[in-house]
Structures are given as structure tokens and as C-alpha cells.
Amino acid sequence: MAAAANSQCPEGAPVATPRTRKLRLDDLLVERGLSPDVDSARRTIWSGEVMVDGELADQPAAPVAENASIRLRARHRYATRGGEKLDEALTAFGVSIEGRCAVDVGASGGGFTDCLLTRGAARVYAVDVARGQLAQRLQRDPRVVDLSGRDVMALQPAELDPRPAVAVVDVTFRSLTDVLPKVMGLLAGEWEIVALVKPLHEAKLLELGQSEGVYRAVFDRLLPLLRGASVPVVNIMPSSYSGAREALEFFLHVKPPGRDDDQLRERLEAALAAATNLELRGRRRKRSGEKRRRTWRRIGPRG
């Protein structure tokens, strides 16, 4: 038998190692008991709660090694992590929601909608081109008008009764230069908008590339375009909550009459300086996380 074995595997020949099986991330969450079913797993992933090998994972269909380190972030107060982002921005901008009617553009799982309701919104129109993402408890809430499957660019003011006075925006399918003027036309009364800016997405949509100074480049292009479209930006701030793949994001506060160019430039410089500090802290956390992952891979999981 030994001779036969040697003839099949000569001395010095490379030994084949079994390939690690890969599964869709949503399937893997279910297999490990981290989600009860695939739909719940997808909502958990979309809400930014899943970390794979120390990195934020936001794609349910992403292939992941079955032995990868997966953990869930702490549960948030809102339907998705987006609610935490919006809550921070509403507080910083001093936006009051109590008793007001609002529209959530790009509602997705409903984090922004949930935040608005928690802050006392009388009604929220939840608009999203996709279907089936809004949390079920929000779909059942009588204060929520579910407009899933609707493109805000095709929405008419008469379809929103009563008309909203507040809009919150989180979109990636179009540039804010297109979306914000449209949203302004849906609002009534003493209105205001809080919009999430995703610089990497805007850079792609505005054909700016992904250079080292992408944040400044995006705002240097975005703000004049918004001014040209009569969008009255009054403030800018970076979010302390990173987006997909740990990308830095910002919020705009839009409200008449806006600010002049010099005032807005001061706000932009302050926001970029704060963003630099957030990036430095993020890099330190990432280096610390890489050290922990190397240790985990060396000693293996404890159990």
C-alpha cells in the first residue's frame, strides 16, 4: 500500500490544499444563526451592521469565505444605522421635526424615517426606487406613507397631501445637483432639507475621479452647481458615522435664504478640517483592527 501511495504522490510533489468554500454573505449569516432568514440578513447587511474580517460589509451577494470572522455591530436605536447619522445632523443643524410633515428621499430600510418619527414627525413619506426594503414595523406605522418603487424625479407635489416642510435625502442613483432642486419643488411652507453627501459617489457622477483631495474637489464642483440651481445651502458638516467601505460622508443643510459665498466657504473649510480629524482617527482604528485580525488569524478563534 505504501508503495502504491508513493507512486501516486512522489516525494517533493506539491500537496494540494483544499480550497476554502465561499458563500453569499446573506446565506452565511443565516447558516451561522446570525439572522433568522435571508430577508432579515439582507436588511441587517444594508443597515451597516455586519463586519467581515474587521471591515464593514454592505453587499448581501458578496462571496465570503465560510471561515471568515463575522460579527454584528451593536443594535441601533433606529431601523438602520442611517438613523444615527441623521440624528447627529439634525442636532448639529438645529432642525426641529416635532409636528412637521416630512419626506424621506431614498428611504431604503427606513433609518431616516424612523429617526424623524422618533423626533415627533406627524407624517413621513418614505420614497425609494427599490421595493421591499422598508422595515415592516415602519410599513405598519400609520404615520408613514410607503412610496416604495417610486422615483422622486417623477413624483408630483399633488401626490403629497399634506405637503411636507422637511426633506431628508440619501441617494446614490443621481447627483444631488439633480435631486435637490426636484425635492425643493415638493416642499411647502418654511421648508428645509438635510441631505447626505457621499463624496465618492458624487465624484463618479460628476466625473471627477478618485484623487487624494476628492472631498474638496467634490465640494468645489458641487456647491457652485447647487448655487446655480438656486439651492440655498446654509451649512455643511462631516458625519462621524462612516459609510460603505468606511468612506467619509457629509451632510448639507439647505434652507432659504442660504448663505453668501464667503460664509459658505468658511463653513466648508471648517467641515473639511473636521473631516481630516475624523479620517486620522479612522486610520488609527483601522491599524488597530489590522493588528487584531493578524492575531486572530495566528491563534484562531477561541471557543
Side-chain angles (χ1 to χ4, degrees):
M1 292 294 290
N6 288 336
S7 65
Q8 293 174 4
C9 185
E11 185 176 354
V15 178
T17 57
R19 297 182 62 182
T20 302
R21 187 171 66 120
K22 290 189 175 183
L23 299 174
R24 284 175 55 111
L25 179 56
D26 50 7
D27 289 335
L28 195 52
L29 289 186
V30 176
E31 183 175 288
R32 292 196 183 182
L34 297 174
S35 289
D37 53 56
V38 171
D39 286 340
S40 296
R42 289 171 183 167
R43 286 193 294 270
T44 300
I45 296 164
W46 284 324
S47 68
E49 295 178 14
V50 180
M51 305 291 289
V52 177
D53 287 335
E55 300 289 340
L56 180 67
D58 65 345
Q59 298 297 322
V64 175
E66 65 177 343
N67 62 351
S69 170
I70 299 179
R71 69 176 179 85
L72 302 184
R73 289 179 170 182
R75 292 288 177 176
H76 307 288
R77 292 176 291 169
Y78 307 109
T80 71
R81 183 168 169 264
E84 307 284 351
K85 297 181 186 181
L86 181 63
D87 186 72
E88 177 186 57
L90 294 175
T91 298
F93 292 150
V95 178
S96 175
I97 302 298
E98 183 69 35
R100 303 175 81 181
C101 185
V103 58
D104 178 1
V105 179
S108 188
F112 280 17
T113 293
D114 204 3
C115 177
L116 293 170
L117 295 175
T118 301
R119 283 177 167 256
R123 176 172 296 188
V124 180
Y125 301 98
V127 183
D128 201 289
V129 292
R131 297 179 184 273
Q133 293 189 20
L134 191 66
Q136 290 187 0
R137 66 176 176 82
L138 295 177
Q139 294 178 36
R140 295 191 297 265
D141 193 305
R143 297 169 295 174
V144 176
V145 179
D146 185 2
L147 295 178
S148 296
R150 297 295 306 275
D151 184 346
V152 69
M153 303 302 290
L155 203 60
Q156 299 303 313
E159 297 181 73
L160 307 181
D161 185 23
R163 295 271 293 279
V166 177
V168 293
V169 180
D170 177 4
V171 295
T172 55
F173 61 97
R174 293 179 189 272
S175 171
L176 291 176
T177 58
D178 297 322
V179 173
L180 291 184
K182 172 64 180 181
V183 172
M184 287 166 50
L186 300 175
L187 304 178
E190 296 183 0
W191 60 266
E192 53 193 317
I193 302 171
V194 176
L196 185 65
V197 182
K198 301 178 179 180
L200 299 185
H201 288 290
E202 285 289 340
K204 183 177 180 181
L205 293 168
L206 296 173
E207 300 180 347
L208 293 176
Q210 306 287 321
S211 63
E212 180 74 17
V214 65
Y215 303 137
R216 183 178 294 278
V218 164
F219 282 108
D220 283 347
R221 177 73 67 85
L222 181 64
L223 293 178
L225 290 174
L226 292 177
R227 179 172 288 281
S230 300
V231 177
V233 178
V234 295
N235 212 342
I236 308 165
M237 64 169 281
S239 174
S240 63
Y241 296 87
S242 58
R245 299 177 181 85
E246 302 299 318
L248 200 61
E249 299 176 335
F250 294 76
F251 276 98
L252 294 181
H253 186 198
V254 178
K255 182 180 180 180
R259 295 188 185 276
D260 63 35
D261 289 341
D262 289 340
Q263 291 175 324
L264 197 56
R265 176 58 60 176
E266 289 179 4
R267 299 298 173 109
L268 173 60
E269 293 302 327
L272 292 174
T276 298
N277 290 333
L278 287 172
E279 277 198 312
L280 291 174
R281 280 159 42 191
R283 287 170 186 165
R284 286 195 291 267
R285 286 196 303 269
K286 187 173 182 179
R287 285 196 294 269
S288 176
E290 287 172 349
K291 290 179 181 177
R292 288 195 299 269
R293 288 198 298 277
R294 285 196 295 269
T295 300
W296 187 90
R297 288 166 181 158
R298 185 172 63 251
I299 67 176
R302 297 178 182 177

